[in-house]
Amino acid sequence: MSLKNSLLTLLIWLIWPPVFAVIDVYRFDNAAQEQRFSLLTHQLRCPKCQNQSIADSDAPIANDLRQAVYQMLLAGKDNQTIIDFMLARYGQFVLYRPPLVSKTVLLWMGPSVFLLIGLFILFLIVRRHQQVVESDADKKENAYHLPSKEE
């Protein structure tokens, strides 16, 4: 087999798998349902991927959740009912923006607390550095004014 045929075969094998990629096609009764589906699937986090919404994830669980959202939308369920269903099944983790409750206070307040701690530490470091600089300046000034020993 020639090099040209080998490269062509390799190229075909590299391009071929995406041809079989599955694209979910959902049919909606109206544009409002389609917008709600998009909104809900972008608000819900994939339990497996953890940093992707179910709309963006290729995981099988995300596909199942998209299908469940689709079925509930067709059944006429409202957004809160669908979200409540997901919360009952997967907990607060499934929401990208969990509500501010006692269990999520650290999640919401943590970044601000760490920022304040960092600013306080920075303040202490700068203050200590200024004290050292002032102390060194005083020592140098005093060294110039030392009385000389005259014999």
Side-chain angles (χ1 to χ4, degrees):
M1 190 191 275
S2 71
L3 180 62
K4 187 176 182 181
N5 286 340
S6 296
L7 289 175
L8 184 60
T9 303
L10 179 65
L11 182 64
I12 289 173
W13 280 107
L14 290 175
I15 294 174
W16 196 254
V19 170
F20 294 108
V22 177
I23 298 174
D24 295 329
V25 177
Y26 297 102
R27 300 200 186 273
F28 298 97
D29 296 335
N30 54 44
Q33 276 185 340
E34 188 173 353
Q35 287 175 345
R36 286 180 54 211
F37 178 80
S38 178
L39 177 75
L40 285 167
T41 57
H42 281 91
Q43 284 180 346
L44 298 171
R45 182 190 322 260
C46 174
K48 181 178 179 184
C49 304
Q50 298 184 7
N51 203 21
Q52 286 183 315
S53 67
I54 62 172
D56 300 329
S57 175
D58 292 330
I61 186 82
N63 186 36
D64 293 345
L65 293 177
R66 282 192 302 269
Q67 190 65 34
V69 169
Y70 177 70
Q71 293 298 327
M72 286 188 263
L73 277 174
L74 290 183
K77 309 277 184 183
D78 65 340
N79 290 5
Q80 193 57 48
T81 304
I82 295 170
I83 290 173
D84 289 343
F85 170 80
M86 296 295 176
L87 285 173
R89 191 167 228 185
Y90 298 102
Q92 294 288 333
F93 177 78
V94 79
L95 295 177
Y96 259 120
R97 291 189 168 163
L100 181 59
V101 293
S102 62
K103 292 180 181 179
T104 61
V105 161
L106 186 60
L107 175 69
W108 285 103
M109 300 300 182
S112 299
V113 169
F114 286 122
L115 177 66
L116 290 175
I117 290 170
L119 290 173
F120 180 71
I121 290 171
L122 181 66
F123 170 76
L124 291 177
I125 290 170
V126 168
R127 194 170 109 195
R128 183 169 293 152
H129 180 69
Q130 286 176 342
Q131 289 173 349
V132 168
V133 169
E134 289 172 3
S135 175
D136 288 346
D138 288 344
K139 286 180 185 177
K140 287 181 184 177
E141 187 177 314
N142 289 339
Y144 291 123
H145 297 298
L146 286 177
S148 62
K149 295 183 180 179
E150 295 179 17
E151 293 184 25

